[in-house]
Amino acid sequence: MTNFFTKTLKILLLPVIAGLLFTLPAHAQDDPNSTEGDVVNLDELLETVRQGIQTQTREFKEREDTFRNARNRQSQLLSQARTDRANEERRSNRLENTYNSNEQRITTLTTQLRDKLGNLNEVFGVLQQVAGDTR
């Protein structure tokens, strides 16, 4: 990340420095005998470049922080989604086992009901026959 930052900084500052250097000879031609103006202009140029570097460094740091925060948030969301999926799969397995257990119970109870109804139907049939014979 630092290598990328350094390369990007060089690429962005190169045009700024070149532009400032091209304006420097134009100012120097105004007064060829004055060296104090050159020093002031060079000091101003140096300060301008330093401020530009500080500004760009701060902006790059802010972008990196924003990117890092977004990446961390996405990692948290992914982790939470995986946890939720695992919980829901366990819940699904529990519910499926409960369903299968209930299906077996229903089958058993239905069989018992048929057996008891069969016995009651026989008793009812016998009662009808006895009632008919009694008449």
Side-chain angles (χ1 to χ4, degrees):
M1 186 66 80
T2 304
N3 192 18
F4 170 76
F5 176 71
T6 305
K7 286 181 181 179
T8 306
L9 188 61
K10 286 179 183 177
I11 290 171
L12 293 174
L13 287 179
L14 188 61
V16 172
I17 292 171
L20 292 172
L21 289 177
F22 284 122
T23 60
L24 185 61
H27 292 293
Q29 291 174 0
D30 291 344
D31 187 8
N33 296 329
S34 173
T35 58
E36 185 177 315
D38 291 342
V39 173
V40 172
N41 286 338
L42 288 176
D43 288 340
E44 289 174 6
L45 173 63
L46 181 60
E47 185 59 32
T48 302
V49 170
R50 284 183 182 159
Q51 288 175 357
I53 290 172
Q54 289 174 351
T55 301
Q56 288 184 349
T57 302
R58 187 174 48 252
E59 289 172 356
F60 285 138
K61 175 125 177 62
E62 289 172 0
R63 285 188 199 124
E64 281 182 28
D65 290 343
T66 301
F67 175 78
R68 197 172 291 115
N69 290 339
R71 185 188 63 202
N72 291 341
R73 178 69 180 141
Q74 288 174 347
S75 295
Q76 290 172 350
L77 290 173
L78 179 60
S79 176
Q80 182 62 41
R82 286 180 176 160
T83 301
D84 290 347
R85 184 182 74 189
N87 290 338
E88 291 302 318
E89 285 177 358
R90 283 193 294 275
R91 181 175 175 252
S92 174
N93 289 337
R94 272 195 324 271
L95 290 174
E96 189 174 344
N97 290 338
T98 301
Y99 177 83
N100 290 336
S101 174
N102 287 342
E103 281 290 318
Q104 289 174 353
R105 188 166 181 233
I106 288 172
T107 302
T108 302
L109 291 174
T110 302
T111 303
Q112 288 176 0
L113 178 64
R114 257 188 254 130
D115 290 345
K116 288 182 180 182
L117 280 178
N119 291 338
L120 284 176
N121 283 337
E122 286 180 27
V123 169
F124 186 67
V126 169
L127 285 176
Q128 283 182 336
Q129 187 178 14
V130 169
D133 289 344
T134 305
R135 280 191 204 161

